[in-house]
Amino acid sequence: MSTIARLFAEKPCVFSIECFPPKQTTRFAAMQQTLRSMKQLSPDFISVTYGAGGSAGGVSSVQVAEFLQNELGILPLAHTLCMGSDRQKMTAQLEDLRRAGVRNVLALRGDRTPLRPESPDFHHASDLMDFIRQTAPDMEFSGACYPEGHPEADTLTADVANLLHKQQAGAVHLVTQLFFDNGKFYRFLNMARKAGITLPVSAGVMPIVRRSQIERTVALSSASLPSAFTRMISRWQDDPDSLRQAGIEYAVSQLRDLIEGGADGVHLYAMNDAGVAEQVYEGIRDLLGR
């Protein structure tokens, strides 16, 4: 069985995509078609953001991960959250994933929202990692990192130092929050290596292709905006077609620089848009050796 760790051991640059479960079960068939289209891009794995499904409504991350694993033959990386969970709920989720044949998870604290209470058992992602290692030793888990520091961290240096807890807990790889300034990523990676972080790191990039993404996604990510990016937005924000193409070109430029700069992996936040994913992939496939 393929694992995330094996991918990074075997490939010079791992290419992955992120998807999210639809909020309505009636949209699952459309999502399945989207994922079939993404399969043609030969992603090394696809990560699935957290979705509870069931009584909470919508499609669960387990359902999507199972479809990827068993129907499409794509390695899934299922998100698990501290927020809103506890030992009992997490045990049940891990067992559901195990039954689906999924063995790779991304352990996250998760955002604080009114809908997700603090976990009584997992205060940090590293706590969840310790729990997974002890109770589900057949699972392999990854962690998140923030090139510009977690919004709640005092300093970037302190945040980087905290990554050691994830490495010591047994994480096999890290994936970054989205960013738009590659210089910030290279600075972060240099700091991480000096701090003793040896894990492979996937650099996360999101193409901004719609005006609605600008405030919602850019603001929530807390990512700094380089002048080239703000010029692009200012020029094309009132021209939907041009903004879409400019956003794709910006992401391709970012990714090409990251791959040529020696990134262990690149992670595409495609927002369930197979068309965007395809255009971005076509712009970088030569560097991936596809």
Side-chain angles (χ1 to χ4, degrees):
M1 180 183 295
S2 297
T3 67
I4 301 294
R6 185 177 302 169
L7 286 172
F8 282 96
E10 296 174 347
K11 294 176 176 282
C13 185
V14 171
F15 170 60
S16 55
I17 303 173
E18 182 159 297
C19 69
F20 58 88
K23 293 182 179 180
Q24 295 85 31
T25 55
T26 55
R27 296 294 300 162
F28 192 28
M31 184 188 190
Q32 289 174 328
Q33 189 55 46
T34 293
L35 294 174
R36 289 189 182 97
S37 297
M38 288 182 177
K39 179 180 179 178
Q40 305 308 309
L41 312 183
S42 302
D44 293 305
F45 68 88
I46 293 182
S47 72
V48 185
T49 64
Y50 182 74
S55 60
V59 178
S60 73
S61 51
V62 175
Q63 288 175 278
V64 178
E66 182 174 18
F67 176 76
L68 288 168
Q69 174 91 23
N70 300 325
E71 296 295 326
L72 299 186
I74 298 174
L75 181 67
L77 179 67
H79 292 206
T80 56
L81 300 184
C82 298
M83 300 297 291
S85 188
D86 55 29
R87 289 174 177 268
Q88 183 177 357
K89 291 179 182 177
M90 187 56 60
T91 297
Q93 184 185 358
L94 294 174
E95 187 54 40
D96 286 343
L97 289 168
R98 184 182 286 107
R99 280 196 295 267
V102 177
R103 296 291 185 274
N104 294 272
V105 299
L106 180 64
L108 305 166
R109 190 200 71 180
D111 295 330
R112 287 190 168 95
T113 73
L115 299 178
R116 290 188 188 135
E118 292 278 352
S119 171
D121 299 318
F122 314 122
H123 301 296
H124 305 284
S126 55
D127 299 330
L128 176 54
M129 291 174 178
D130 286 333
F131 178 78
I132 295 172
R133 188 186 70 247
Q134 293 166 14
T135 62
D138 57 330
M139 292 282 190
E140 188 177 272
F141 51 86
S142 300
C145 58
Y146 297 77
E148 299 179 61
H150 191 283
E152 296 176 20
D154 292 333
T155 65
L156 177 58
T157 300
D159 193 41
V160 168
N162 284 331
L163 288 178
L164 281 171
H165 297 305
K166 297 181 180 182
Q167 180 167 290
Q168 292 162 354
V172 299
H173 132 265
L174 299 171
V175 59
T176 77
Q177 169 65 283
L178 63 92
F179 60 91
F180 302 100
D181 185 342
N182 285 5
K184 303 291 187 182
F185 171 78
Y186 293 129
R187 175 176 179 242
F188 158 79
L189 190 61
N190 184 52
M191 291 176 65
R193 297 305 183 221
K194 287 183 176 179
I197 305 299
T198 59
L199 299 175
V201 178
S202 288
V205 170
M206 178 185 286
I208 299 299
V209 297
R210 292 185 299 278
R211 184 171 181 171
S212 61
Q213 288 179 283
I214 297 171
E215 289 187 5
R216 183 178 71 247
T217 303
V218 174
L220 289 176
S221 71
S222 300
S224 59
L225 308 179
S227 58
F229 181 86
T230 56
R231 285 197 303 271
M232 177 193 77
I233 297 300
S234 296
R235 182 174 183 181
W236 302 118
Q237 62 180 333
D238 295 320
D239 182 342
D241 292 339
S242 296
L243 176 60
R244 180 182 177 89
Q245 196 55 43
I248 289 171
E249 291 173 1
Y250 188 92
V252 167
S253 177
Q254 252 195 290
L255 290 163
R256 290 187 70 85
D257 177 80
L258 290 164
I259 298 167
E260 292 176 327
D264 302 311
V266 288
H267 188 66
L268 181 62
Y269 292 102
M271 301 303 290
N272 288 11
D273 191 323
V276 168
E278 181 179 0
Q279 288 189 62
V280 171
Y281 175 73
E282 288 301 321
I284 63 174
R285 65 182 302 175
D286 60 315
L287 297 182
L288 294 171
R290 309 295 175 94

